Amino acid sequence: VSKGDEAARDALLAAGGAALLVREVSAGAPAAQAEAAGAIATLAADSARLAEAVVAAGAVLPLTLLLTWGAGAAKKQAASALGALAAASKANRDAVVEAEAVPPLLSLLQVDKAAADGSAAAIEAASALATLLSGDEPLQAAVVAEDGLAAIAALLRDGAAKAAGE
């Protein structure tokens, strides 16, 4: 489905595409999980209606589980998808928070420098966290209480060191 192609999005929804993507995220092979999560991210960023359909099809919990148990590429794509879903509506944002996605997103900020996908996943996790934390003082306080600021500061420090070394 091309970005901005409303007819194709409608056809995808009518054909049960949201449920198919959720099924791949939930039980597909690692590469298929990453691809499905990436498709959800792209589609959710393009259409609030499709984002709502994907959430209604049950995508949030499997995406949250991928943050912890998925392969490197799947973690990155899951973080991106959760951020895009949360950005689409307050209801979606609330669903992501209720699925307890914040702790594994914070964990992804601990960049595994040996993993090729580590810093890419950390960047997507930081973006998703920015969306989730924006304007939510109780959630911000919870992140502070869980020592999440240390992870955020470490990511910024590592990014600054990398930029200085380039």
Side-chain angles (χ1 to χ4, degrees), residues 1-9 39 41-47 50 84:
V1 177
S2 300
K3 186 172 175 78
D5 188 344
E6 193 168 334
R9 283 195 312 262
T42 300
L43 294 168
D46 191 38
S47 167
L50 190 55

Side-chain angles (χ1 to χ4, degrees), residues 35-146:
E35 289 291 326
I40 289 170
T42 300
L43 294 168
D46 191 38
S47 167
R49 194 174 61 155
L50 190 55
E52 297 288 339
V54 170
V55 169
V60 174
L61 184 58
L63 287 167
T64 300
L65 292 172
L66 277 183
L67 296 174
T68 301
W69 303 108
K75 288 179 180 185
K76 173 191 174 288
Q77 296 295 354
S80 178
L82 288 166
L85 291 170
S89 73
K90 181 174 179 348
N92 285 1
R93 189 199 151 287
D94 292 345
V96 172
V97 171
E98 288 170 15
E100 307 262 339
V102 172
L105 285 167
L106 286 169
S107 292
L108 283 179
L109 297 182
Q110 311 293 327
V111 177
D112 179 0
K113 293 172 182 63
D117 297 9
S119 62
I123 291 166
E124 292 299 337
S127 178
L129 284 165
T131 298
L132 292 168
L133 294 171
S134 179
D136 188 333
E137 290 182 21
L139 187 57
Q140 293 168 8
V143 167
V144 169
E146 291 183 30

Side-chain angles (χ1 to χ4, degrees), residues 12-24 40 50 52-59:
L12 179 70
L13 285 174
L20 292 172
L21 288 170
V22 172
R23 186 169 43 237
E24 283 302 311
I40 289 170
L50 190 55
E52 297 288 339
V54 170
V55 169

